[in-house]
Amino acid sequence: MTGKVWEYITEKLESEGACHFSLLDPDPLSASNDYIVSIAELAEKAGTDAIMIGGSTIFGGIDDAVKAIKEAVDIPTILFPGNITGVTEHADAMFFMSLLNSSNPYYIVGAQALAAVRVKFSGIETIPMAYLLIEPGKSAAWVGEAKCFPREKPKLVLMYALAAELLGYKLVYLEAGSGAEGGGVPPEIISVVAQYSDLPIIAGGGFNDAESVVRGVEAGASIVVQGTYLEKNVQKDKGAGLKKIVKALKDAGSKRL
Ligand code: 1GP
């Protein structure tokens, strides 16, 4: 059930117009928990609004990584699970998400059913979120067997976003895939969804600079997610670049109030 984190998000959107979320992927093959924690701390200092934790290639339990991040930051920690391996009770909330354009029902409702008893009885806050994969989709599309939306077909995405709204989801995530090239989700897709749907839009995948982030907000995204940018930059410059990006996002957001 939605709760404090959802209230935090909606209040932020009402007062600031847009939010920046930082995605951390606790993959023990490429990053230690200390490294992940240091990125989370720098992102919080730079002004990000929440830390999302997850990915499509989680190789094991993420309990320790989530506990360590939650201890280190004051902003909300939100699970972004690509599968049942991404579930833990230790975050503040969880995007209870469905990959609506998967061609395999496992990613639409099967994994969710397998996790549901544990999630329900753990008491963790859940935020129902429709997850839509747009080309190139990257690892998330490969793992999730998605029939990715072509980048030049905004109306196909709109059909699914409207279905998500009518089905009762609280958010729609327009995802181009982590590490996507091409400047993030096409603004034409974001703007048509924003024009006709009342759901707040999260956009992610390839937003690697302030220009693309601002373009996303101007097109109608309520939340822009950055993952790869953080991995590549925040330790190097101690979060100075991210601080500028968050400021640019907030300036663009304030124009929507
Ligand atoms: C992936 O949308 C997120 O799920 C973040 O993508 O890593 O490209 O920023 P990037």
Side-chain angles (χ1 to χ4, degrees), residues 23 80 131 173 175-180 203-208 225-229:
L23 175 65
F80 177 57
Y131 189 54
Y173 195 127
E175 169 76 271
S178 183
F207 290 93
N208 293 326
V225 181
Q226 289 191 291
T228 303
Y229 175 86

